[in-house]
Amino acid sequence: MELAYVCEWEKRPKSTHCPSIPLVCSWSCRNLVAFTTDLKNDDEEKDVSHMIHIIDTEHPWDVYSINSGHTEVISCLEWDQSGSKLLSADGDGQIKCWSMSDHLVNSWESYLSSSVDGDPIIALSWLHNGVKLALHVDMSSSTNFGEKFSRVKFSPSLTLFGGKPMEGWLAVTVSGLVTVSLLKPGGTLLTASESLCRLRGRVALADIAFTGGGNIVVAATDGSSSSPVQFYKVVVSVVSEKCRIDTELLPSLFLRCTTDPLRRDKYPAVTHLKFLTRENSEQVLLCASNQTGSIVECWSLRKEGLPVNNIFQHRSPVVGEKQPTILKWRILTTTNDLERVSAIALPKLPISMSNTDTKFCPGLGLALTFHDGSIQILHRMSLHTMCVFYSSSSSSGPGQRSGEESAIKRQRTGGPAIHFKAIQFSWTALALAGIDNHGKLHMLRVSPSMGQVLDMNTTLRHLLFLLEYCMVTGYDWWDVLLHVQPSMVHNLVEKLHEEYMRQNQALQQVLATRIVAVKASLCKLSSATAARACDFHAKLLLIAISATLKSLLRPHVLNSPDKSPGDRLTEICAKNTDIDIDKVMINLNTQDFVLDGPHLQSLQQLIQWVGDFVLYLLANLPNQGSMVRPGFGFMRDGASLGMLREMLVMIRIWGLLKTSCLPTFTATSDSQDSLQLLFRLLTKLWLCCREDAPPQDPDESLIDECCLLPSQLLVPPMDWLPVNDGVIGKLQGKHPLKLHFGKLSSLPGQGSTTPLEVFTKSPSAQKMDNLRCIHMGVCPTEESKACTRCGCVTMLRSPNKSNAMKQWEQRWIKNCLCGGLWRKIPQAFN
């Protein structure tokens, strides 16, 4: 376990820390982190602890602080399954639901709220949507994604007509109330509250889990270790347009430490109560503490046979009769006496294992943070310590050591002043985000092997398994990239492609763009593969433009054959190997390609990009021996070259309808038919690597013609996507980065190699809208947004009015081409 970076607030002379304020932190599946701090500014009337801070982990300095409107200290933060909505609750019973404004990660607004006036919220959760995926660790070497990741039968907490899950949330208050808010399709809320049991009592700690049958289980304790930990089944339903809550008492338990004569009064308070996973209500983790130490216990709910009285044991058994059973809590394991625990983080990976001896797998560790500043990773089954981390403030220095050695060193000096008050695992359990008692955000890498030394192949297999998991689920893979060294990039990209090609055709089509985005993210981590990252980003744009242009085609006859004009174009271009674009065009029904003139004109910038890209590829064919130049990956990609051929044919037809929509080339001869020339050379290159024929090298005549191409047409410089200004490429070293909220990181990138010429841009260079393929000027006045993952920049507001271009822009309202989220570029950072 290593510290990746620390992000802290600028020092304010009249800012004080309030140790009594609890901190909360929540990490979404899109790698957004929401947290609160215990800072209190004496110059302001508002308590800073009522603020919610949201960052994306790639740009931690660009923090968005929400004045939440909560009147008391925020006690809970909870992301939904999609990572796009956030719940916040406070000590006055107020619950607010937040969503992105204009789909920007650094712009949020509250659009729904509910309350239980004056009753502090201590536990909060979204209702389950019924989607559960199991990761079969034992099948990680399988070639079938269906065997590695399987959908588990799991019922939603509440369904609408037709079985669609109903959205809403559930909260538990300190007085023992459970409150449910349901979001109706019209946008209104149905809210109801009910007591957990007939005799309401104080609830100090609570947690919420879900069962496969659609029920909800609430665990609650009054905070005393001598009192039982109670469990309740909660069933939510809608009757006559009203929300109804039914509760039922389940078996309870007493902590083992209270029955141990040596520890009976040693740990008087229960300080932490958590279910091991959100979908497993049958295993719970408990922590009891005193002023100086803690002990952690893991319990499991088991079905046991009920003993029968001797009177009934001698009677003859009835056919089909089963022994009566009862549910009982049994302790699985417990730790020895520990330092005082300050926070607990549990992994979210839904691991499924048949072999319980598996020790070194991501997601099998839970994290304990202590008041002495240390963090321990414990195996969540046995609670054995796997590794220990000490913060930089401790005398032993940052890093990972064996427990005994570090404990001896730590005894020589006083304890460190910094400890974590809230901590959360990422969704792949490969990173930890923690908030310390000074309001700093710490980002830590967690080894896939949980601190154990494994060979490189095993590490690669773990990382590959989690990258595949992110591809299948759509979760962000930023935390996986934390562990990828430059030397691993090539192997990971090749193995990922091999596994992808082994899947069935339908699944390949679903994951087609996602795998390209993953490859692009990996290739950016190494200077040796940076050019391939350019190719993958260009391929994403190429696929998107092709799909958009084909979607505009409509058959001129309603009772046309089953195949759409776009499919017929693909079929004819694949069969017709003629190098003359006009002869290929003759075989098409050009009436299917008729579009209005304004629509065609509005698409000119996309058409221009296609023409420039083809010209760039062909002009660089003679340099194909060099893998440094962008474009190399397309020289052997028959599918992409075929896609470019199809678009050139479409552009040729549209040029007959409206000449001004054609791409503009600077030619040395007025009689030069530029589109005809490019199609002829492109077809020759495509014939060398088409999918239904054995690959072959381009012949000398083709290379000679491409060498002459720059003397016939002016080759424009391709404005590739800018280098992402995030931190992931700067975390290859062992030394953590020190960042400040609100200050753009200006640290140099990893390695000492000279960056590619295609990546370097002078301050006076034109800024490019990478989605609309238009120039914005040297100093753009329009507000812009950038992708959190790839750095793609585009204008926030659309300058276009035509329907065709609006259709293109609507595809990227929520996400970038690569699937990343959008962040508004602050004016200070432009």
Side-chain angles (χ1 to χ4, degrees), residues 276 283 285 296-298 332-336 353 356-359 364-366 377-386 450:
L276 275 187
Q283 288 185 323
L285 197 75
V296 177
E297 299 179 359
C298 185
L332 286 178
T333 183
T334 182
T335 64
N336 296 322
M353 293 187 308
T356 56
D357 294 332
T358 304
K359 294 181 180 180
L364 284 183
L366 58 90
I377 301 294
L378 275 61
H379 196 284
R380 74 179 190 185
M381 299 296 180
S382 63
L383 295 186
H384 290 160
T385 301
M386 307 301 295
M450 297 193 296

Side-chain angles (χ1 to χ4, degrees), residues 82-97:
S82 68
S84 59
K85 295 179 183 176
L86 177 69
L87 289 177
S88 63
D90 66 11
D92 194 37
Q94 300 289 324
I95 302 173
K96 292 178 179 287
C97 181

